[in-house]
Amino acid sequence: MWLKLFFLLLYFVVLFVLSRIFEAVVWYETGVFATQLVDPVTLSYKKLKTILESRGLGHPGLPGGKDVSELVEKSGELTQGELYSAMKKEKEQSEAGDVETTLFNGEAHFYELVEDTKDGLWLVQVIAQNREAPLSKSSWGKVVQKVSQFGIRTGTFNCSSDHRSCMKRGWQRSTLVMSAPQTSASKGKVMLKEYDGWRMDTEHIFRWITSHVAHRIKTLRRSDQLMEEWRSDSDHPVKMFLFARLPQPPAFFSSLSVKFTGRIDFIFVDVCRWSNFSSLSAIGVTRSPAYILKMPEGTYHYGNSFGEFLSLASMDVFLRSVQPEVNDLFVLSLLLINLLAWMDLFITQGATVKRFVVLIRTLGTYNSILLVSWLPVLALLQLPYLDSLYGYSLKLLRYADTTTLASLVRADWIFYSSHPALFLSTYLAHGLLVDYFEKKRRCGSRSQEDSSTNLEWLASLWDWYASYLLHPIASFQQVPSDLSDWEDDPSFLFERLAFPDLWLRPLVNMDYMKALPTWRLSVDTPSPPAGLCRDGSKGPPPLGHHEYSVSTGLAPHGGCHKEGASSSANRKPEDGGGGVSGRELCDCSEWPPSVLPCSECVVCLENFEGGELLMGLPCGHAFHQHCIVVWLAAGRHCCPVCRWPSYKKKSAVTPPLD
């Protein structure tokens, strides 16, 4: 869990550094930065028209372009970054062709998407029964393409599918209908307005839409009105002001006022006929146009920091960061938790099928935990006495999001979201590097599970499934995964939180038995005296015991003594030493160094004989292989002697004493 989080944070750092490298390359090739201002007079008419369309302003269309450049200056300063984004977006729209639009199949569908959506704009083409559409297919496609860049959704309602609904709404002829929230309150009533123009061309329809939406924004034309709105208001703490010499605000500004209904108040200050400029200087407005965010913590001039363009996408990301809603935070957490889960595909070592099975398990677990975790958060946000805590949280968030670092992060977010192929390729490259370093890190301690093929791992998966069907309670476990101390991993806690009933079940992976040490005693190897372990006592020696046995001269925790290791061990029986003959001493070279040599299996209470297959547990005790497998398969995942968990590693056993 922590390893995946580290690699994900490292990936975000790589993206941040990569963006700075791209900026340096662009500066080296062109000699300009994205924040560098552009003089509109030096641009061609086509580029000026593209900028005006991206901002949502009508243009007079004069051949000379002088009025067009003045209109660009009046709407705001132009930077190299905004010019590049506008030209790139226009090229993408021309190559993409038609934009998808919704086809309503009845009254319920129309109400659910249009009237029940309280914070969105819709343009619907109504086709009356037995009539033609108000716009041709090509003209409707141009309208859809133009309005979609401002967040306006489109659809077509054919009255032939629901004639009664059209009659009830008074749609006797084919027309265009626009929906917008009627008030500035959150989740307010939606108002439908029918197009009353006689020219059915793209420009007239767009002007009708922008003028209709602009009426929702409060317009100020006197200084006393401005000073009244500038005062602090507890009901509306965050306000977005536009000071400009324009007949109406740009379309992107008006569209954002609908999207942030109930969160941010949008106010347009028309300074065309302003008589008292001292009031503007008193509140810190030194130039026009100016986009100023008024907050309880102070004012913020939008457009002065890196990546803050006069476009819908740029200002939308900025406003969402300073005044987010719960849905924004949920979507962000959903994106981060899935990026974190996909890291399992590269961290997991072994067969390809195993990687994807582990990935699916991780995706399901993490998303389940995320959904369950958000339920109490939503419940707490409804409590009235937590309003102060919510307000303090937003205050800290606004302090953080008005810094230079936050503007760089927002610019990177816009850049990578507009280049999804670059984002996915960098994530894949980062994942392959993580996979490479994980292979190098595990090179010295690769388990059998890591080196298994797809067929071998599928076979082990089938064994697990069959074991689950036959013993659903005793052998309920995870699918085969890495042989590691998974019980100490926080992911194990996530598994239990995702499925609370597993607290009552032994969630143990039976595949750990494959890694337990197994060896066969030689046929001609003599066993130690019956019932004697390395300390000469009956049964296994107590852990931590370091004294020699007086009766046998055998040292504990180090295996049996070899010939010549002790004078008492070499003493003959007739010498009266009470020792054990060399024939009766066991050969310790066959026993793994982590296992305590012993002469008896405590499961079947039979002595070890030459040629038998033995198995050791992590605690150091040894048994007949078939005896301990039956013991563990019955759901008793612990040592029969010391009760140490049979799936958990233990520190190394003390080496033998010479």
Side-chain angles (χ1 to χ4, degrees):
M1 174 64 180
W2 299 115
L3 186 63
K4 287 182 283 188
L5 184 60
F6 168 76
F7 283 132
L8 183 61
L9 293 176
L10 182 62
Y11 172 66
F12 290 147
V13 174
V14 170
L15 290 181
F16 185 82
V17 175
L18 192 62
S19 298
R20 308 289 81 79
I21 294 176
F22 287 154
E23 293 168 10
V25 171
V26 172
W27 172 80
Y28 179 78
E29 293 180 350
T30 61
V32 296
F33 284 105
T35 55
Q36 186 173 339
L37 297 179
V38 179
D39 188 2
V41 179
T42 62
L43 299 178
S44 63
Y45 176 77
K46 181 180 179 181
K47 292 183 178 180
L48 291 173
K49 180 182 176 182
T50 303
I51 293 298
L52 288 177
E53 289 182 350
S54 66
R55 293 182 178 181
L57 289 170
H59 54 88
L62 297 178
K66 180 179 179 181
D67 292 344
V68 179
S69 62
E70 291 180 356
L71 188 58
V72 171
E73 291 180 349
K74 290 180 180 180
S75 61
E77 294 179 339
L78 178 62
T79 61
Q80 290 285 351
E82 182 183 355
L83 178 61
Y84 167 78
S85 300
M87 299 301 295
K88 177 178 178 295
K89 192 170 185 179
E90 184 189 36
K91 183 179 179 181
E92 290 177 350
Q93 287 181 347
S94 60
E95 294 177 352
D98 296 338
V99 183
E100 293 185 2
T101 182
T102 304
L103 181 62
F104 299 102
N105 53 22
E107 171 71 15
H109 191 198
F110 179 84
Y111 177 81
E112 179 184 0
L113 295 182
V114 179
E115 295 184 292
D116 198 37
T117 304
K118 310 296 184 181
D119 56 353
L121 294 172
W122 276 88
L123 179 64
V124 181
Q125 179 181 218
V126 178
I127 304 177
Q129 191 175 18
N130 301 324
R131 300 288 180 90
E132 295 183 355
L135 294 173
S136 63
K137 186 177 181 180
S138 60
S139 299
W140 174 245
K142 293 179 181 179
V143 172
V144 170
Q145 192 175 50
K146 190 175 184 62
V147 302
S148 62
Q149 59 182 329
F150 300 102
I152 301 176
R153 287 166 286 188
T154 58
T156 301
F157 191 97
N158 197 328
C159 293
S160 300
S161 60
D162 195 344
H163 179 63
R164 181 177 299 178
S165 176
C166 291
M167 295 296 295
K168 183 179 65 175
R169 296 179 181 273
W171 295 338
Q172 306 260 339
R173 60 184 180 88
S174 300
T175 183
L176 296 176
V177 176
M178 178 185 175
S179 72
Q182 188 172 359
T183 62
S184 59
S186 179
K187 303 300 180 182
K189 186 178 179 181
V190 172
M191 177 179 58
L192 298 178
K193 187 173 180 63
E194 187 175 342
Y195 180 66
D196 53 2
W198 61 274
R199 294 189 61 179
M200 286 290 185
D201 59 89
T202 305
E203 291 300 327
H204 280 79
I205 294 174
F206 183 72
R207 290 179 185 178
W208 168 70
I209 294 174
T210 54
S211 61
H212 179 61
V213 179
H215 287 311
R216 297 186 68 260
I217 300 178
K218 185 179 295 185
T219 303
L220 308 180
R221 293 183 172 87
R222 299 196 313 270
S223 59
D224 56 340
Q225 294 176 335
L226 174 61
M227 300 310 295
E228 182 180 355
E229 286 292 337
W230 195 261
R231 296 190 186 96
S232 300
D233 188 358
S234 58
D235 296 332
H236 306 280
V238 182
K239 299 179 181 180
M240 191 70 187
F241 287 86
L242 168 58
F243 298 84
R245 300 176 182 272
L246 295 171
Q248 69 180 29
F252 82 92
F253 192 80
S254 302
S255 299
L256 288 173
S257 67
V258 178
K259 183 172 291 188
F260 288 88
T261 299
R263 285 191 282 172
I264 301 176
D265 283 358
F266 285 74
I267 300 174
F268 172 56
V269 182
D270 184 10
V271 295
C272 289
R273 300 177 180 85
W274 205 264
S275 58
N276 185 9
F277 288 93
S278 60
S279 59
L280 297 179
S281 301
I283 61 178
V285 180
T286 58
R287 59 184 174 85
S288 173
Y291 295 82
I292 298 179
L293 182 67
K294 176 70 170 54
M295 304 174 292
E297 298 79 26
T299 59
Y300 183 84
H301 290 254
Y302 178 82
N304 294 341
S305 298
F306 184 84
E308 294 179 352
F309 307 142
L310 300 182
S311 62
L312 179 73
S314 179
M315 187 173 285
D316 177 66
V317 172
F318 168 72
L319 295 178
R320 284 180 186 274
S321 64
V322 297
Q323 193 72 9
E325 62 179 1
V326 177
N327 188 62
D328 298 331
L329 299 178
F330 173 75
V331 172
L332 180 61
S333 63
L334 185 65
L335 174 63
L336 294 177
I337 204 68
N338 280 276
L339 287 176
L340 186 65
W342 271 89
M343 278 292 170
D344 239 351
L345 182 65
F346 309 105
I347 294 178
T348 303
Q349 300 298 310
T352 305
V353 176
K354 170 193 171 183
R355 290 173 183 256
F356 281 97
V357 170
V358 173
L359 172 63
I360 294 173
R361 181 198 65 187
T362 305
L363 286 172
T365 302
Y366 284 14
N367 284 277
S368 300
I369 294 171
L370 179 67
L371 295 176
V372 172
S373 302
W374 266 99
L375 294 178
V377 173
L378 294 177
L380 290 175
L381 291 177
Q382 305 298 325
L383 299 178
Y385 52 82
L386 288 181
D387 291 342
S388 59
L389 178 61
Y390 181 69
Y392 284 126
S393 301
L394 289 178
K395 185 183 292 291
L396 292 176
L397 189 62
R398 286 193 289 265
Y399 273 122
D401 285 334
T402 51
T403 59
T404 305
L405 179 62
S407 64
L408 292 174
V409 173
R410 287 193 296 268
D412 292 347
W413 174 277
I414 296 174
F415 174 74
Y416 286 111
S417 60
S418 60
H419 298 80
L422 178 61
F423 178 80
L424 295 177
S425 60
T426 52
Y427 187 83
L428 178 60
H430 177 75
L432 294 177
L433 288 176
V434 169
D435 181 47
Y436 173 77
F437 286 114
E438 276 294 294
K439 286 181 180 178
K440 288 293 184 182
R441 187 177 68 88
R442 302 188 185 187
C443 185
S445 58
R446 293 192 64 183
S447 62
Q448 180 182 355
E449 187 74 17
D450 290 345
S451 58
S452 60
T453 63
N454 290 329
L455 293 178
E456 292 173 348
W457 196 83
L458 284 174
S460 64
L461 182 64
W462 172 254
D463 293 340
W464 164 81
Y465 184 68
S467 176
Y468 168 67
L469 291 178
L470 296 176
H471 306 284
I473 300 298
S475 60
F476 189 86
Q477 55 211 287
Q478 295 174 320
V479 295
S481 59
D482 291 336
L483 297 174
S484 59
D485 282 336
W486 53 269
E487 190 182 55
D488 298 330
D489 194 339
S491 301
F492 178 72
L493 179 61
F494 282 0
E495 292 281 352
R496 291 186 179 272
L497 290 177
F499 307 98
D501 64 320
L502 300 187
W503 287 104
L504 305 178
R505 301 185 181 184
L507 189 63
V508 178
N509 192 334
M510 297 285 288
D511 285 344
Y512 72 87
M513 297 170 59
K514 298 178 181 179
L516 295 177
T518 305
W519 69 100
R520 187 179 298 277
L521 291 178
S522 300
V523 179
D524 56 349
T525 300
S527 300
L532 290 181
C533 289
R534 60 186 60 179
D535 61 348
S537 61
K538 296 281 186 176
L543 296 179
H545 186 69
H546 295 282
E547 297 182 0
Y548 286 87
S549 174
V550 178
S551 59
T552 64
L554 298 180
H557 309 311
C560 302
H561 270 286
K562 297 182 180 179
E563 186 176 357
S566 174
S567 59
S568 60
N570 292 328
R571 189 175 304 170
K572 296 180 180 180
E574 56 269 17
D575 292 336
V580 182
S581 65
R583 185 186 61 81
E584 295 175 320
L585 297 177
C586 64
D587 184 6
C588 300
S589 60
E590 295 184 359
W591 292 66
S594 61
V595 181
L596 307 174
C598 192
S599 62
E600 185 183 56
C601 174
V602 299
V603 178
C604 64
L605 301 180
E606 296 290 340
N607 292 334
F608 296 138
E609 300 292 342
E612 291 182 331
L613 189 64
L614 307 185
M615 177 180 285
L617 296 183
C619 58
H621 295 128
F623 312 90
H624 287 122
Q625 192 267 350
H626 62 277
C627 294
I628 194 62
V629 166
V630 173
W631 171 276
L632 298 176
R636 299 182 287 264
H637 299 283
C638 61
C639 176
V641 178
C642 64
R643 299 301 177 182
W644 180 267
S646 55
Y647 51 83
K648 191 171 183 181
K649 294 180 181 179
K650 197 172 184 180
S651 57
V653 183
T654 306
L657 300 175
D658 294 332

